[in-house]
Amino acid sequence: MSQVQLVAKNKTVSIVYLDGESLAPVRKHDLSFLGIPEEGELSDTKLQLLLSEYVLPGGRKKAMDLLLAGDRTEKELCVRLAQDGYHASVIESVLTYVKQFHYLDDVRYALNYMQSKGSKCSMLEIRRKLSEKGVSEEDYEEALEKYRALRSESIERLGEDDADADSMNGDAELSDEAMELETLLKLMHKKVPEGVALTKEQKQKYYGYFLRKGFGYHTIRTVLKEYPTEDASEEAFD
């Protein structure tokens, strides 16, 4: 026997507490149908029925609704389900369910994130963001390998005779440094057309801005050297 307590979440749903711990949100109508008391003892038979017929199906549906609304990492999904009142054991069962259908895939999430942010952010910043979202080092590296291959294929499609593409592509796949350089060049060219002269102060401003974005010192220096200096030498960037 377990001790049960129902705490209203809204007009139609209550959070079921089992032995003082939140189990799951369940519709009040379903709880009434099972004869679950507002507070008191709950038999093992009724508990198993509650779990199999309402708690686990409800958790799976909630997880699917969240994933359909937007791709999430495993950590993000766990946090969201916990916020809704699902117990860790229920969340674990739900994760096993969605993973078998590949609805939840941190490698895929990381790859999509790289493709979305790769032209705007440094790989260092992307790595930090994905780490915050709970993507493991192993999943990050697997996604990065796929991302490098896709970037290389994209450059090859632009034309094998293109000198810039060849220099970034190399013999096989893009290195992290090449991807960072390509990304920063595109970002800088959007801000200032190639070849436009910049003052020393403007270069310092861009240097600080991109450094805060996670780009490496040598990459920033390489890009800024493409722009002539109006009123000062390039010594600061040599």
Side-chain angles (χ1 to χ4, degrees):
M1 301 285 284
S2 303
Q3 290 295 318
V4 68
Q5 181 183 14
L6 306 182
V7 177
K9 182 179 182 181
N10 53 45
K11 292 183 179 180
T12 61
V13 175
S14 288
I15 302 294
V16 179
Y17 281 82
L18 203 63
D19 295 330
E21 293 188 21
S22 174
L23 177 65
V26 181
R27 291 188 305 172
K28 293 180 179 180
H29 172 78
D30 296 329
L31 293 168
S32 177
F33 178 77
L34 287 179
I36 307 296
E38 290 285 336
E39 188 171 354
E41 292 187 338
L42 183 66
S43 69
D44 292 341
T45 301
K46 281 192 175 181
L47 175 57
Q48 291 304 316
L49 191 60
L50 176 64
L51 287 169
S52 62
E53 297 297 323
Y54 298 101
V55 172
L56 293 177
R60 292 167 182 170
K61 183 180 184 304
K62 181 64 178 181
M64 290 299 300
D65 289 343
L66 290 170
L67 292 171
L68 287 173
D71 204 9
R72 299 169 188 262
T73 64
E74 181 176 328
K75 178 183 177 180
E76 289 175 328
L77 183 60
C78 287
V79 169
R80 187 66 173 79
L81 290 173
Q83 289 174 343
D84 275 4
Y86 287 95
H87 189 270
S89 60
V90 177
I91 295 175
E92 184 178 354
S93 178
V94 169
L95 291 179
T96 299
Y97 175 81
V98 297
K99 281 182 179 179
Q100 67 180 324
F101 299 108
H102 301 289
Y103 294 130
L104 187 65
D105 187 333
D106 278 7
V107 173
R108 182 191 65 215
Y109 181 95
L111 177 58
N112 290 339
Y113 191 89
M114 290 173 185
Q115 291 177 308
S116 173
K117 304 294 185 179
S119 62
K120 307 172 186 176
C121 305
S122 69
M123 293 308 296
L124 181 63
E125 184 175 10
I126 289 174
R127 188 169 193 164
R128 178 176 61 81
K129 290 289 186 181
L130 288 174
S131 178
E132 291 173 356
K133 291 173 178 290
V135 175
S136 69
E137 184 70 17
E138 182 181 358
D139 287 342
Y140 173 84
E141 291 297 335
E142 184 176 343
L144 181 59
E145 184 178 351
K146 293 180 178 180
Y147 180 63
R148 287 170 177 161
L150 289 172
R151 289 284 291 265
S152 294
E153 290 173 6
S154 176
I155 289 177
E156 288 175 359
R157 286 197 297 269
L158 289 177
E160 295 181 355
D161 296 331
D162 187 281
D164 292 333
D166 286 342
S167 63
M168 292 180 184
N169 189 27
D171 295 331
E173 60 184 19
L174 287 169
S175 66
D176 291 348
E177 293 79 8
M179 287 194 296
E180 182 172 270
L181 178 59
E182 180 191 13
T183 298
L184 187 53
L185 279 170
K186 290 179 179 178
L187 288 175
M188 190 62 191
H189 290 166
K190 286 181 179 180
K191 292 180 175 295
V192 183
E194 186 175 0
V196 172
L198 297 174
T199 64
K200 181 178 178 181
E201 289 72 21
Q202 287 174 319
K203 288 193 173 186
Q204 292 289 355
K205 175 184 175 182
Y206 284 122
Y207 173 78
Y209 173 78
F210 288 123
L211 195 63
R212 290 191 295 272
K213 285 291 185 179
F215 290 96
Y217 170 80
H218 293 292
T219 303
I220 301 172
R221 185 181 64 176
T222 298
V223 170
L224 290 179
K225 276 190 172 182
E226 288 195 359
Y227 294 85
T229 304
E230 282 186 358
D231 55 356
S233 68
E234 293 285 345
E235 293 179 358
F237 300 95
D238 288 336

